[in-house]
Amino acid sequence: MFSDYHTHTLYSNHGSGHPRELAAVAVEKGLLALGFSEHFPLPENVTEPTGGSANMQWDQIELYTREVREAQEEFDGKIKILLGYEVDYLPLFDEQMRANLAKYPADYFVGSIHIVDRFRSDHENWLIDYNNEMFAEGVNDQGGGVAVYTRYYELIRDFARKYDHRIVGHLDMIKKFNINKRYFDTDSEHYLSQVEMTLDVLKETGKIVEINTAGAYKDIGEVYPSDKILQMVLHRRLPVCLSSDAHKPDQVGRDFSATWKRLVRMGFEEITGL
Ligand SMILES: [Zn+2]
Ligand SMILES: [Zn+2]
């Protein structure tokens, strides 16, 4: 029996489906729990290069919350429904982010890095998962692939130490556009040492590493994190959960049975729930 703690709705502005529609699919698939983790709105004066389409907006948060609570009532006794947010970490705006988070209590948080500092050229925040062109531009702007993944993993370690978000989202998403190791070598000693340092911090701080099945449908075509990293996770006995990162109802719990079978063959024994 599985639970899915990483899902999006129409309130992400790039997803679809109301919370109750995702909940209906989750019940149909026999999930034990469904967590909604809409992108927490970015601090007010943060600019992103997508015209604000990558995160929930401030005027949507109340409706999102209400619809999740309504789904909780509607499906009471059939499934456990949790209200959560997927939260970015922007060191320059951290005070503001912290104050904003305090105003919106939730059942849990997924901490994820989608922004790796700013473009030097225009001071806009760099979304690492938007498209190929934007990724290439960021790598070029920030001094190459090694500098970029080093910073990416450093940001994960920082937020893991600063926040008690329970789950770490798509741990190696920095690889999303790194087709054929175009920008950096994910098998290199240096890359893996960055991952190792990060996993040590996640262990220390009691995080759950999500195994995100959406990665298989992205350019890189591989679950987040990679098998190599999963072996390292297993070796450290870090708690793991499965997540779909669904952006529409029929993606809830996607590929969970097949993925878990594969993980069991690798040696995983247990999924951690909230
Ligand atoms: Zn994400
Ligand atoms: Zn997500």
Side-chain angles (χ1 to χ4, degrees):
M1 290 288 260
F2 302 113
S3 298
D4 192 347
Y5 299 111
H6 190 156
T7 64
H8 298 276
T9 66
L10 76 164
Y11 293 111
S12 63
N13 301 312
H14 58 281
S16 65
H18 289 272
R20 62 175 308 279
E21 296 175 89
L22 277 81
V25 173
V27 169
E28 199 186 295
K29 290 194 173 172
L31 297 191
L32 286 174
L34 171 66
F36 290 96
S37 57
E38 204 47 274
H39 293 281
F40 192 76
L42 293 175
E44 293 77 352
N45 46 357
V46 171
T47 53
E48 50 166 282
T50 61
S53 62
N55 288 273
M56 183 158 57
Q57 303 299 299
W58 286 110
D59 59 2
Q60 296 177 295
I61 197 164
E62 230 179 281
L63 206 49
Y64 164 67
T65 313
R66 193 190 313 156
E67 285 199 27
V68 172
R69 295 302 183 203
E70 281 168 5
Q72 262 169 344
E73 279 167 35
E74 184 177 343
F75 294 93
D76 187 36
K78 295 192 178 121
I79 188 169
K80 181 176 164 190
I81 292 184
L82 300 172
L83 170 71
Y85 296 102
E86 183 175 14
V87 183
D88 266 282
Y89 171 60
L90 297 95
L92 282 174
F93 301 90
D94 198 40
E95 227 168 281
Q96 223 176 319
M97 183 62 115
R98 202 173 276 278
N100 288 341
L101 283 169
K103 285 186 229 157
Y104 295 94
D107 299 322
Y108 74 103
F109 297 100
V110 177
S112 297
I113 300 293
H114 306 93
I115 292 170
V116 176
D117 301 325
R118 298 163 140 190
F119 292 114
R120 284 188 201 120
S121 43
D122 56 15
H123 305 290
E124 281 192 344
N125 292 282
W126 176 34
L127 283 170
I128 54 161
D129 63 331
Y130 193 64
N131 61 28
N132 263 305
E133 293 68 36
M134 198 182 286
F135 191 77
E137 193 188 339
V139 170
N140 187 41
D141 214 34
Q142 299 206 14
V146 173
V148 159
Y149 73 66
T150 302
R151 179 64 178 148
Y152 171 81
Y153 284 111
E154 182 183 46
L155 287 168
I156 296 180
R157 294 193 292 273
D158 278 3
F159 90 66
R161 288 197 183 100
K162 283 189 181 169
Y163 287 92
D164 57 3
H165 304 331
R166 282 307 309 286
I167 299 175
V168 176
H170 40 66
L171 183 68
D172 65 346
M173 195 176 68
I174 194 69
K175 75 183 176 189
K176 183 173 177 180
F177 298 112
N178 190 38
I179 319 297
N180 298 324
K181 302 183 178 172
R182 189 168 156 198
Y183 300 104
F184 49 87
D185 182 2
T186 46
D187 289 322
S188 70
E189 223 171 280
H190 184 262
Y191 181 85
L192 294 170
S193 74
Q194 286 298 312
V195 175
E196 249 169 32
M197 277 161 66
T198 306
L199 294 179
D200 288 343
V201 172
L202 301 187
K203 177 83 185 178
E204 249 168 65
T205 53
K207 305 294 188 220
I208 300 171
V209 173
E210 72 167 19
I211 296 159
N212 183 317
T213 58
Y217 298 88
K218 309 293 183 191
D219 291 38
I220 191 75
E222 176 185 282
V223 163
Y224 305 122
S226 67
D227 282 5
K228 191 161 242 172
I229 297 178
L230 283 172
Q231 292 291 358
M232 295 155 75
V233 166
L234 185 64
H235 181 72
R236 283 170 175 72
R237 302 201 158 273
L238 270 154
V240 297
C241 68
L242 289 175
S243 81
S244 68
D245 211 344
H247 280 70
K248 33 173 123 159
D250 65 359
Q251 293 173 353
V252 170
R254 181 161 63 173
D255 298 343
F256 278 14
S257 299
T259 304
W260 182 240
K261 271 186 203 146
R262 206 168 63 76
L263 291 166
V264 167
R265 282 199 297 274
M266 286 175 80
F268 284 90
E269 290 172 357
E270 197 187 349
I271 299 177
T272 300
L274 295 179

